[in-house]
Amino acid sequence: MGFPDALQELLDRLPARVVLELLRQGLCLRCIFRFLNVRDAVYSIELPTPAEVYSKIFSSTEHNQEHELENLKNSVLDENSAPCLICLGVLQRLDHAAGTERQEHEPFEGLEKNPVSCILKAIDDAGHSVDKFCLEVSLPALILLRERSFWCYLKEQYKVETLFSGQDVNDHIVSLKEAVKWSLLERLEHALSAKFDTSAALRIALVFKHPGSPAEIEFLAAASTGGDAKRKRNGGHNEPESQGFAAVVAARAVAEAGESLAAVQRSLASMNNELFVRRYQCPPSQCSLSCEIAAVIWRNPVFVGGRYLKFSRNVSQSRWLIEEERMGEGSVQEIIGDVVMPFYKADNYKFHAAGREDIDVRMLGTGRPFIIELLNARRIPSASEIEKAELDINGQKEGWVKVKGLRQVGIEVCALMRQGEVEKQKEYVAVVWLDRPVTQADFKRLSDLKELEIQQKTPVRVLHRRSPLIRPRTIHWMRCEPIKGSENYFLLQLCTQAGTYIKEFVHGDLGRTYPNVGSLLDCAADILQLDVMDVKMEFD
């Protein structure tokens, strides 16, 4: 292939003798650019072979290139015979992705060499639709070792070159992850007909693994043997004690975490270059095996919110099992979630609500705010499809649960709902029984009370799952209505602070809630039915 003008201009600016040396050592062109701190556009173009670049550089020098090129052709620079010394084929394979296009039903081929096709197949297999995406790259830990090893080699070979004067390789070369992204993003956008966006819910992880990585990083764990400390005590090489101790601690972390990239980074950070080159070969040895590629596709949680109403006194909020036996006829969670989930083709879902009512309590009035958290959704339905999901829920023949205002919401609504769960007020209607006939004086006594503070010990009925605490709560107001033909019964409407146990406020829970309706009216009181009428929260 011909030389792109941008590449020719770049080669003219780079130190020719360094480029030639890096080619001889077995680095691919993109790794050469990384070590020479070249950024951005050059990574995304299809590059000539190392032999072509070698020839091009030689043509502009006084060297006799014929002998050198012959040696080059027989060297490890042949990409068909050996991977790059540093990236182990990660960047070499990117040229196989150039111009990747695929028609529907066209088979995927050469996946072991083509990262774009690998990603397309993973998306196809998972059944994801793509509007925008975020690309993440995972690399084997041994690449960190090889980068540092070669950096130490260059520092020794080219002491006068300011390019290699820094101590920390990570501060002076282009990150391999960034190079991969620069190389692939434009091609992926074209192949997926979608835009890259770091905040996109759809995440693409391109995972590179190498079979030799676990063995090659074993030397880090060997640093914990204390050999250097022994040499120090015996008059050997002098090292700061803190340096050796940090290396031991980090090396143990590597041994415990296996090929944890973070553990390897910590271990390497604990070693100065002098210690590192005694532990690891510089430059690193040639490897015959390339990295393996895999693509993992998932979508961050998607949230659908609304308000639900529950009309049955035998439907729990979430699925309720006792010793594997279902309690009640169903649950709000399943009635809503099992309808919504297929529209998103999600793996699963979680149900979140602004508080909860007991199984025998109806949720009426304006409804209770809720959110369905959909896990790894394969598609995002349109607004009209979400409207259909709402109709499907409301059209179920049992009519136990209905929803209002179903819509897709952002994650910030979760925080809003949690905040409102603590701060909100709730209104109820209860059917109350007294052990004596109800009087107008009883109604006046309760209705006159405003901002009544009560103390509630954790109710007996929930002590098995709640901490035994005393919770102060406020009853904001109460109103009473008689029930015709039932002199011992009345309707109690009340507005309370979030978290108030209404049943216990009525009957007192053996004195664990005080004051209560019974103590206020100087009689025994109990509750027969309870309905939630309003959950006051900015959610719509």
Side-chain angles (χ1 to χ4, degrees):
M1 63 169 288
F3 263 68
D5 292 340
L7 179 59
Q8 183 61 63
E9 292 177 7
L10 173 61
L11 290 176
D12 290 341
R13 296 199 310 268
L14 296 177
R17 65 191 185 93
V18 176
V19 175
L20 292 174
E21 174 61 18
L22 300 187
L23 286 169
R24 290 192 190 98
Q25 285 290 338
L27 273 66
C28 68
L29 288 178
R30 289 187 176 88
C31 274
I32 291 174
F33 296 148
R34 291 199 305 119
F35 272 85
L36 297 178
N37 204 25
V38 176
R39 299 180 176 272
D40 300 325
V42 70
Y43 293 92
S44 64
I45 63 175
E46 187 172 3
L47 298 176
T49 66
E52 288 173 319
V53 173
Y54 199 97
S55 175
K56 189 73 173 177
I57 295 175
F58 252 88
S59 67
S60 60
T61 69
E62 297 178 356
H63 290 81
N64 180 357
Q65 71 178 41
E66 184 176 349
H67 174 69
E68 295 284 355
L69 287 176
E70 189 60 33
N71 289 339
L72 177 63
K73 290 178 182 177
N74 296 324
S75 73
V76 294
L77 290 175
D78 183 355
E79 291 190 59
N80 294 319
S81 64
C84 169
L85 185 72
I86 305 301
C87 72
L88 300 175
V90 170
L91 293 174
Q92 289 164 295
R93 286 182 172 182
L94 299 181
D95 279 330
H96 294 282
T100 298
E101 295 183 8
R102 175 182 162 276
Q103 301 300 320
E104 189 175 1
H105 308 305
E106 179 185 339
F108 292 96
E109 297 177 355
L111 297 184
E112 73 287 352
K113 292 185 177 181
N114 192 328
V116 174
S117 288
C118 185
I119 290 170
L120 292 176
K121 183 178 187 302
I123 291 173
D124 260 22
D125 290 345
H128 279 284
S129 62
V130 185
D131 50 357
K132 54 185 178 179
F133 67 92
C134 179
L135 177 65
E136 301 175 7
V137 179
S138 175
L139 299 168
L142 86 167
I143 286 179
L144 295 179
L145 307 185
R146 289 176 164 262
E147 286 181 343
R148 183 163 180 183
S149 169
F150 203 74
W151 178 257
C152 291
Y153 168 77
L154 291 175
K155 283 177 62 64
E156 180 63 27
Q157 289 293 111
Y158 300 99
K159 294 180 180 179
V160 297
E161 285 282 356
T162 56
L163 275 171
F164 311 123
S165 60
Q167 291 298 315
D168 190 347
V169 60
N170 297 314
D171 293 337
H172 294 85
I173 73 168
V174 172
S175 158
L176 181 54
K177 287 186 178 182
E178 291 303 309
V180 171
K181 290 181 180 180
W182 285 334
S183 301
L184 285 182
L185 284 179
E186 186 177 338
R187 302 169 191 176
L188 272 177
E189 287 182 334
H190 177 69
L192 296 172
S193 298
K195 286 294 183 182
F196 170 77
D197 185 339
T198 55
S199 63
L202 186 75
R203 320 298 284 190
I204 300 172
L206 193 58
V207 181
F208 293 92
K209 295 184 178 181
H210 195 278
S213 193
E216 196 157 331
I217 67 172
E218 280 183 356
F219 91 97
L220 293 173
S224 65
T225 61
D228 288 292
K230 291 178 182 178
R231 281 194 295 274
K232 181 179 179 182
R233 288 194 298 269
N234 294 330
H237 187 80
N238 188 24
E239 294 174 357
E241 184 174 346
S242 59
Q243 173 77 36
F245 178 77
V248 169
V249 172
R252 285 175 180 163
V254 173
E256 292 171 358
E259 200 185 340
S260 163
L261 200 63
V264 171
Q265 288 172 328
R266 288 192 298 270
S267 185
L268 290 177
S270 72
M271 295 184 182
N272 58 30
N273 287 338
E274 188 177 4
L275 175 58
F276 178 80
V277 297
R278 294 209 319 276
R279 297 291 190 185
Y280 192 77
Q281 180 178 340
C282 297
S285 59
Q286 189 65 50
C287 183
S288 61
L289 297 175
S290 295
C291 286
E292 301 164 355
I293 306 177
V296 181
I297 315 296
W298 77 99
R299 191 184 298 276
N300 286 342
V302 177
F303 301 92
V304 173
R307 290 177 178 260
Y308 75 80
L309 298 97
K310 179 168 79 78
F311 302 103
S312 169
R313 298 193 188 276
N314 198 26
V315 170
S316 58
Q317 186 184 85
S318 56
R319 192 166 181 257
W320 186 13
L321 298 177
I322 297 180
E323 296 182 351
E324 299 186 0
E325 181 178 349
R326 176 185 280 277
M327 299 291 105
E329 298 172 304
S331 71
V332 175
Q333 169 185 313
E334 293 167 296
I335 291 170
I336 299 175
D338 288 355
V339 171
V340 172
M341 189 173 76
F343 281 87
Y344 283 82
K345 295 185 178 179
D347 287 346
N348 207 338
Y349 64 86
K350 296 178 182 178
F351 185 84
H352 311 277
R356 62 189 304 120
E357 67 283 330
D358 293 336
I359 189 172
D360 60 345
V361 176
R362 296 186 300 179
M363 180 66 239
L364 306 176
T366 58
R368 185 185 298 278
F370 73 91
I371 289 173
I372 296 283
E373 180 183 353
L374 295 139
L375 308 177
N376 196 26
R378 264 66 173 186
R379 66 184 298 268
I380 303 298
S382 63
S384 61
E385 289 176 297
I386 296 176
E387 288 179 12
K388 183 179 185 307
E390 179 174 327
L391 292 173
D392 289 349
I393 294 167
N394 295 341
Q396 295 182 73
K397 62 180 180 180
E398 295 85 356
W400 295 330
V401 174
K402 295 188 183 298
V403 297
K404 301 192 302 183
L406 195 68
R407 66 200 184 280
Q408 191 166 310
V409 298
I411 191 172
E412 68 281 355
V413 176
C414 295
L416 179 66
M417 192 173 72
R418 283 193 294 268
Q419 179 182 357
E421 192 174 348
V422 176
E423 300 174 353
K424 67 180 179 294
Q425 296 181 4
K426 297 166 70 175
E427 292 185 14
Y428 300 86
V429 172
V431 177
V432 177
W433 169 86
L434 302 182
D435 66 348
R436 59 167 175 76
V438 182
T439 66
Q440 287 297 320
D442 295 329
F443 291 170
K444 187 175 188 309
R445 167 69 174 146
L446 295 178
S447 299
D448 285 347
L449 293 171
K450 307 295 181 185
E451 305 301 323
L452 171 67
E453 184 172 296
I454 63 175
Q455 303 294 322
Q456 290 196 308
K457 292 183 179 179
T458 302
V460 172
R461 63 188 172 95
V462 298
L463 266 175
H464 64 286
R465 57 186 172 87
R466 295 282 176 90
S467 301
L469 301 173
I470 297 177
R471 298 173 175 86
R473 292 291 184 264
T474 301
I475 310 298
H476 298 294
W477 54 260
M478 289 180 280
R479 290 196 289 265
C480 304
E481 292 182 20
I483 297 177
K484 291 182 180 180
S486 303
E487 61 180 13
N488 289 68
Y489 298 86
F490 70 96
L491 289 178
L492 176 63
Q493 302 175 41
L494 64 165
C495 176
T496 73
Q497 179 185 353
T500 304
Y501 292 102
I502 305 302
K503 294 177 180 177
E504 283 68 24
F505 170 64
V506 173
H507 60 62
D509 195 27
L510 305 175
R512 297 175 67 83
T513 291
Y514 190 86
N516 54 69
V517 170
S519 68
L520 291 170
L521 300 181
D522 195 23
C523 63
D526 205 350
I527 186 168
L528 277 71
Q529 290 183 345
L530 179 64
D531 293 328
V532 186
M533 300 305 297
D534 192 13
V535 178
K536 297 181 182 296
M537 180 185 295
E538 293 295 330
F539 186 76
D540 300 318

